[in-house]
Amino acid sequence: GAVVSQHPSWVICKSGTSVKIECRSLDFQATTMFWYRQFPKQSLMLMATSNEGSKATYEQGVEKDKFLINHASLTLSTLTVTSAHPEDSSFYICSARPTSGGVRGLETQYFGPGTRLLVL
Amino acid sequence: KQEVTQIPAALSVPEGENLVLNCSFTDSAIYNLQWFRQDPGKGLTSLLLIQSSQREQTSGRLNASLDKSSGRSTLYIAASQPGDSATYLCAVGGYSTLTFGKGTMLLVSP
Protein backbone atom coordinates (compact mmCIF):
# COMPACT_ATOMS: atom_id res chain seq x y z
CA GLY A 1 0.00 0.00 0.00
CA ALA A 2 0.88 3.65 -0.14
CA VAL A 3 3.35 4.62 2.56
CA VAL A 4 4.38 8.04 3.75
CA SER A 5 7.36 8.47 6.01
CA GLN A 6 8.47 11.38 8.15
CA HIS A 7 11.89 12.11 9.50
CA PRO A 8 12.72 12.64 12.24
CA SER A 9 10.01 11.10 14.37
CA TRP A 10 11.22 13.02 17.42
CA VAL A 11 13.25 16.19 17.71
CA ILE A 12 14.28 18.30 20.67
CA CYS A 13 15.94 21.62 20.00
CA LYS A 14 16.91 24.82 21.71
CA SER A 15 14.90 27.97 21.32
CA GLY A 16 16.09 30.02 18.38
CA THR A 17 17.34 27.15 16.26
CA SER A 18 15.79 25.87 13.04
CA VAL A 19 14.41 22.39 12.54
CA LYS A 20 13.74 20.61 9.24
CA ILE A 21 11.14 17.86 8.94
CA GLU A 22 10.99 15.64 5.88
CA CYS A 23 7.91 14.01 4.41
CA ARG A 24 8.39 11.31 1.78
CA SER A 25 5.98 9.27 -0.26
CA LEU A 26 7.78 5.95 -0.55
CA ASP A 27 5.95 4.10 -3.29
CA PHE A 28 3.96 6.73 -5.14
CA GLN A 29 4.33 10.19 -6.55
CA ALA A 30 2.59 13.07 -4.87
CA THR A 31 2.11 16.40 -6.60
CA THR A 32 0.42 17.69 -3.48
CA MET A 33 1.38 17.25 0.14
CA PHE A 34 -0.19 18.76 3.22
CA TRP A 35 1.29 19.82 6.53
CA TYR A 36 -0.78 19.69 9.69
CA ARG A 37 -0.09 20.61 13.29
CA GLN A 38 -1.74 18.96 16.25
CA PHE A 39 -1.63 20.25 19.82
CA PRO A 40 -2.48 17.89 22.70
CA LYS A 41 -6.13 16.88 22.71
CA GLN A 42 -6.81 19.15 19.76
CA SER A 43 -7.72 18.44 16.18
CA LEU A 44 -5.30 18.48 13.31
CA MET A 45 -5.02 21.96 11.88
CA LEU A 46 -3.94 22.38 8.29
CA MET A 47 -0.93 24.65 8.10
CA ALA A 48 -0.17 24.65 4.41
CA THR A 49 -0.58 22.87 1.11
CA SER A 50 2.64 22.02 -0.63
CA ASN A 51 2.68 21.73 -4.42
CA GLU A 52 5.61 20.27 -6.31
CA GLY A 53 7.48 22.90 -8.23
CA SER A 54 5.52 25.85 -6.92
CA LYS A 55 5.05 27.90 -3.79
CA ALA A 56 3.13 26.49 -0.89
CA THR A 57 -0.28 27.81 0.03
CA TYR A 58 -0.51 28.76 3.69
CA GLU A 59 -3.61 28.81 5.83
CA GLN A 60 -4.68 31.99 7.51
CA GLY A 61 -2.64 32.74 10.59
CA VAL A 62 0.34 30.57 9.60
CA GLU A 63 3.52 32.58 9.15
CA LYS A 64 5.10 31.62 5.85
CA ASP A 65 8.46 33.07 6.85
CA LYS A 66 8.52 30.97 9.98
CA PHE A 67 7.33 27.70 8.47
CA LEU A 68 9.26 27.26 5.25
CA ILE A 69 7.97 24.59 2.91
CA ASN A 70 9.85 23.15 -0.03
CA HIS A 71 8.36 20.53 -2.35
CA ALA A 72 11.36 19.88 -4.54
CA SER A 73 10.32 16.56 -6.00
CA LEU A 74 7.26 14.39 -6.46
CA THR A 75 8.20 12.32 -3.42
CA LEU A 76 9.60 14.82 -0.95
CA SER A 77 8.33 17.85 0.90
CA THR A 78 10.16 19.54 3.75
CA LEU A 79 8.93 21.79 6.52
CA THR A 80 11.48 23.98 8.23
CA VAL A 81 10.54 25.64 11.49
CA THR A 82 12.79 28.67 11.66
CA SER A 83 13.85 30.30 14.93
CA ALA A 84 11.79 27.81 16.88
CA HIS A 85 10.22 28.84 20.16
CA PRO A 86 8.58 26.76 22.90
CA GLU A 87 5.12 27.60 21.56
CA ASP A 88 6.08 25.81 18.33
CA SER A 89 6.29 22.54 20.27
CA SER A 90 3.69 20.31 18.70
CA PHE A 91 3.03 17.19 16.67
CA TYR A 92 3.53 17.83 12.97
CA ILE A 93 1.89 15.45 10.51
CA CYS A 94 2.18 15.44 6.75
CA SER A 95 -0.02 13.76 4.20
CA ALA A 96 0.42 13.08 0.51
CA ARG A 97 -2.11 12.85 -2.26
CA PRO A 98 -1.13 10.54 -5.12
CA THR A 99 -0.69 12.26 -8.44
CA SER A 100 -2.95 9.68 -10.04
CA GLY A 101 -5.67 10.10 -7.40
CA GLY A 102 -9.13 11.52 -7.92
CA VAL A 103 -9.61 15.22 -8.50
CA ARG A 104 -12.97 15.50 -6.79
CA GLY A 105 -11.99 16.27 -3.26
CA LEU A 106 -9.44 14.46 -1.21
CA GLU A 107 -10.45 10.97 -2.21
CA THR A 108 -7.07 9.58 -1.41
CA GLN A 109 -4.68 11.06 1.09
CA TYR A 110 -2.05 9.11 2.97
CA PHE A 111 -0.71 10.30 6.29
CA GLY A 112 2.77 10.10 7.70
CA PRO A 113 3.48 8.90 11.24
CA GLY A 114 4.12 12.40 12.52
CA THR A 115 7.04 14.27 14.02
CA ARG A 116 6.99 15.43 17.60
CA LEU A 117 8.86 18.68 18.12
CA LEU A 118 9.89 19.91 21.54
CA VAL A 119 11.51 23.31 21.77
CA LEU A 120 13.27 24.04 25.04
CA LYS B 1 -15.82 28.10 7.54
CA GLN B 2 -16.39 24.41 8.14
CA GLU B 3 -16.49 23.32 11.77
CA VAL B 4 -16.45 19.70 12.87
CA THR B 5 -17.59 18.56 16.30
CA GLN B 6 -17.20 15.12 17.77
CA ILE B 7 -19.18 13.77 20.67
CA PRO B 8 -18.34 12.35 23.13
CA ALA B 9 -14.81 13.60 23.71
CA ALA B 10 -14.00 10.41 25.60
CA LEU B 11 -15.68 7.07 26.03
CA SER B 12 -14.88 4.06 28.19
CA VAL B 13 -16.64 0.76 27.62
CA PRO B 14 -16.15 -2.88 28.60
CA GLU B 15 -15.03 -5.32 25.95
CA GLY B 16 -17.81 -6.67 23.75
CA GLU B 17 -20.05 -3.63 23.78
CA ASN B 18 -21.36 -2.03 20.64
CA LEU B 19 -20.78 1.70 20.51
CA VAL B 20 -21.49 4.79 18.43
CA LEU B 21 -19.27 7.79 17.88
CA ASN B 22 -20.82 10.98 16.58
CA CYS B 23 -19.56 13.65 14.24
CA SER B 24 -21.37 16.80 13.14
CA PHE B 25 -20.36 19.46 10.65
CA THR B 26 -21.70 22.92 9.91
CA ASP B 27 -21.40 23.15 6.12
CA SER B 28 -23.21 20.42 4.22
CA ALA B 29 -21.41 21.21 0.94
CA ILE B 30 -18.87 18.45 1.34
CA TYR B 31 -17.17 16.05 -1.04
CA ASN B 32 -16.62 13.25 1.41
CA LEU B 33 -16.18 12.34 5.04
CA GLN B 34 -13.52 10.14 6.52
CA TRP B 35 -13.02 8.40 9.81
CA PHE B 36 -9.49 7.91 11.05
CA ARG B 37 -7.90 6.13 13.94
CA GLN B 38 -4.96 7.65 15.81
CA ASP B 39 -2.95 5.74 18.38
CA PRO B 40 -1.09 7.76 21.03
CA GLY B 41 1.85 9.63 19.53
CA LYS B 42 1.23 8.14 16.12
CA GLY B 43 -0.05 9.23 12.74
CA LEU B 44 -3.45 8.55 11.24
CA THR B 45 -4.91 5.35 9.88
CA SER B 46 -7.82 5.76 7.50
CA LEU B 47 -10.76 3.57 8.49
CA LEU B 48 -13.63 4.50 6.22
CA LEU B 49 -14.28 7.02 3.47
CA ILE B 50 -17.83 7.98 2.55
CA GLN B 51 -18.43 9.96 -0.61
CA SER B 52 -21.02 12.73 -0.42
CA SER B 53 -23.40 10.68 -2.58
CA GLN B 54 -23.21 7.67 -0.28
CA ARG B 55 -25.13 6.90 2.89
CA GLU B 56 -22.81 4.45 4.56
CA GLN B 57 -19.68 2.37 4.33
CA THR B 58 -18.75 -0.81 6.12
CA SER B 59 -15.46 -2.46 6.92
CA GLY B 60 -15.44 -5.47 9.20
CA ARG B 61 -16.86 -4.44 12.57
CA LEU B 62 -17.02 -0.79 11.55
CA ASN B 63 -19.94 0.95 9.92
CA ALA B 64 -20.02 4.64 9.13
CA SER B 65 -23.11 6.52 8.08
CA LEU B 66 -23.50 9.95 6.53
CA ASP B 67 -26.49 12.28 6.55
CA LYS B 68 -25.24 15.23 4.61
CA SER B 69 -28.41 17.26 4.85
CA SER B 70 -28.35 17.23 8.65
CA GLY B 71 -24.57 17.50 8.83
CA ARG B 72 -24.04 14.29 10.75
CA SER B 73 -22.04 11.11 10.60
CA THR B 74 -21.79 8.20 12.98
CA LEU B 75 -19.19 5.51 13.38
CA TYR B 76 -20.57 2.28 14.75
CA ILE B 77 -18.15 -0.23 16.26
CA ALA B 78 -19.55 -3.68 16.89
CA ALA B 79 -18.28 -6.05 19.56
CA SER B 80 -15.56 -3.71 20.75
CA GLN B 81 -12.13 -5.09 21.66
CA PRO B 82 -9.27 -3.70 23.77
CA GLY B 83 -7.32 -3.27 20.54
CA ASP B 84 -9.91 -0.74 19.42
CA SER B 85 -8.66 1.65 22.11
CA ALA B 86 -7.47 4.78 20.30
CA THR B 87 -8.63 8.24 19.33
CA TYR B 88 -11.10 8.33 16.46
CA LEU B 89 -11.06 11.38 14.24
CA CYS B 90 -13.73 12.51 11.86
CA ALA B 91 -12.60 14.62 8.89
CA VAL B 92 -14.80 16.41 6.40
CA GLY B 93 -13.46 16.78 2.89
CA GLY B 94 -13.99 19.99 0.98
CA TYR B 95 -12.67 20.51 -2.54
CA SER B 96 -9.08 20.86 -1.49
CA THR B 97 -8.91 20.51 2.28
CA LEU B 98 -9.78 18.26 5.16
CA THR B 99 -11.28 19.70 8.33
CA PHE B 100 -10.82 17.55 11.39
CA GLY B 101 -12.77 17.23 14.61
CA LYS B 102 -10.98 16.99 17.95
CA GLY B 103 -11.63 13.29 18.14
CA THR B 104 -13.19 10.82 20.53
CA MET B 105 -10.78 9.01 22.82
CA LEU B 106 -12.01 5.44 23.19
CA LEU B 107 -10.91 3.04 25.90
CA VAL B 108 -12.10 -0.55 25.76
CA SER B 109 -11.34 -2.44 28.93
CA PRO B 110 -10.90 -6.22 29.03
mmCIF file with all atom_site columns, all heavy atoms in Angstrom, chain B residues 17 22 35 87 99:
data_model
loop_
_atom_site.group_PDB
_atom_site.id
_atom_site.type_symbol
_atom_site.label_atom_id
_atom_site.label_alt_id
_atom_site.label_comp_id
_atom_site.label_asym_id
_atom_site.label_entity_id
_atom_site.label_seq_id
_atom_site.pdbx_PDB_ins_code
_atom_site.Cartn_x
_atom_site.Cartn_y
_atom_site.Cartn_z
_atom_site.occupancy
_atom_site.B_iso_or_equiv
_atom_site.pdbx_formal_charge
_atom_site.auth_seq_id
_atom_site.auth_comp_id
_atom_site.auth_asym_id
_atom_site.auth_atom_id
_atom_site.pdbx_PDB_model_num
ATOM 1  N N   . GLU B 1 17 ? -18.930 -4.555 24.013 1.00 0.00 ? 17 GLU B N   1
ATOM 2  C CA  . GLU B 1 17 ? -20.052 -3.631 23.777 1.00 0.00 ? 17 GLU B CA  1
ATOM 3  C C   . GLU B 1 17 ? -20.030 -3.068 22.375 1.00 0.00 ? 17 GLU B C   1
ATOM 4  O O   . GLU B 1 17 ? -18.970 -2.880 21.774 1.00 0.00 ? 17 GLU B O   1
ATOM 5  C CB  . GLU B 1 17 ? -19.990 -2.481 24.780 1.00 0.00 ? 17 GLU B CB  1
ATOM 6  C CG  . GLU B 1 17 ? -20.695 -2.774 26.073 1.00 0.00 ? 17 GLU B CG  1
ATOM 7  C CD  . GLU B 1 17 ? -21.112 -1.507 26.794 1.00 0.00 ? 17 GLU B CD  1
ATOM 8  O OE1 . GLU B 1 17 ? -21.038 -0.412 26.227 1.00 0.00 ? 17 GLU B OE1 1
ATOM 9  O OE2 . GLU B 1 17 ? -21.505 -1.636 27.959 1.00 0.00 ? 17 GLU B OE2 1
ATOM 10 N N   . ASN B 1 22 ? -20.077 9.992  17.366 1.00 0.00 ? 22 ASN B N   1
ATOM 11 C CA  . ASN B 1 22 ? -20.819 10.983 16.585 1.00 0.00 ? 22 ASN B CA  1
ATOM 12 C C   . ASN B 1 22 ? -19.930 12.091 16.059 1.00 0.00 ? 22 ASN B C   1
ATOM 13 O O   . ASN B 1 22 ? -18.974 12.519 16.721 1.00 0.00 ? 22 ASN B O   1
ATOM 14 C CB  . ASN B 1 22 ? -21.915 11.608 17.448 1.00 0.00 ? 22 ASN B CB  1
ATOM 15 C CG  . ASN B 1 22 ? -22.928 10.584 17.893 1.00 0.00 ? 22 ASN B CG  1
ATOM 16 O OD1 . ASN B 1 22 ? -23.713 10.090 17.096 1.00 0.00 ? 22 ASN B OD1 1
ATOM 17 N ND2 . ASN B 1 22 ? -22.898 10.247 19.173 1.00 0.00 ? 22 ASN B ND2 1
ATOM 18 N N   . TRP B 1 35 ? -13.303 8.738  8.424  1.00 0.00 ? 35 TRP B N   1
ATOM 19 C CA  . TRP B 1 35 ? -13.017 8.401  9.815  1.00 0.00 ? 35 TRP B CA  1
ATOM 20 C C   . TRP B 1 35 ? -11.602 7.834  9.882  1.00 0.00 ? 35 TRP B C   1
ATOM 21 O O   . TRP B 1 35 ? -11.228 6.967  9.078  1.00 0.00 ? 35 TRP B O   1
ATOM 22 C CB  . TRP B 1 35 ? -14.016 7.382  10.349 1.00 0.00 ? 35 TRP B CB  1
ATOM 23 C CG  . TRP B 1 35 ? -15.350 7.968  10.670 1.00 0.00 ? 35 TRP B CG  1
ATOM 24 C CD1 . TRP B 1 35 ? -16.441 8.055  9.850  1.00 0.00 ? 35 TRP B CD1 1
ATOM 25 C CD2 . TRP B 1 35 ? -15.751 8.558  11.929 1.00 0.00 ? 35 TRP B CD2 1
ATOM 26 N NE1 . TRP B 1 35 ? -17.484 8.656  10.510 1.00 0.00 ? 35 TRP B NE1 1
ATOM 27 C CE2 . TRP B 1 35 ? -17.097 8.968  11.787 1.00 0.00 ? 35 TRP B CE2 1
ATOM 28 C CE3 . TRP B 1 35 ? -15.104 8.767  13.155 1.00 0.00 ? 35 TRP B CE3 1
ATOM 29 C CZ2 . TRP B 1 35 ? -17.799 9.585  12.824 1.00 0.00 ? 35 TRP B CZ2 1
ATOM 30 C CZ3 . TRP B 1 35 ? -15.813 9.369  14.170 1.00 0.00 ? 35 TRP B CZ3 1
ATOM 31 C CH2 . TRP B 1 35 ? -17.145 9.781  14.002 1.00 0.00 ? 35 TRP B CH2 1
ATOM 32 N N   . THR B 1 87 ? -7.831  7.049  19.600 1.00 0.00 ? 87 THR B N   1
ATOM 33 C CA  . THR B 1 87 ? -8.632  8.242  19.333 1.00 0.00 ? 87 THR B CA  1
ATOM 34 C C   . THR B 1 87 ? -9.163  8.155  17.910 1.00 0.00 ? 87 THR B C   1
ATOM 35 O O   . THR B 1 87 ? -8.408  7.840  16.986 1.00 0.00 ? 87 THR B O   1
ATOM 36 C CB  . THR B 1 87 ? -7.802  9.522  19.511 1.00 0.00 ? 87 THR B CB  1
ATOM 37 O OG1 . THR B 1 87 ? -7.406  9.640  20.870 1.00 0.00 ? 87 THR B OG1 1
ATOM 38 C CG2 . THR B 1 87 ? -8.615  10.752 19.118 1.00 0.00 ? 87 THR B CG2 1
ATOM 39 N N   . THR B 1 99 ? -11.079 19.047 7.039  1.00 0.00 ? 99 THR B N   1
ATOM 40 C CA  . THR B 1 99 ? -11.281 19.698 8.330  1.00 0.00 ? 99 THR B CA  1
ATOM 41 C C   . THR B 1 99 ? -11.560 18.610 9.354  1.00 0.00 ? 99 THR B C   1
ATOM 42 O O   . THR B 1 99 ? -12.499 17.826 9.198  1.00 0.00 ? 99 THR B O   1
ATOM 43 C CB  . THR B 1 99 ? -12.461 20.682 8.290  1.00 0.00 ? 99 THR B CB  1
ATOM 44 O OG1 . THR B 1 99 ? -12.224 21.650 7.262  1.00 0.00 ? 99 THR B OG1 1
ATOM 45 C CG2 . THR B 1 99 ? -12.597 21.399 9.622  1.00 0.00 ? 99 THR B CG2 1
#
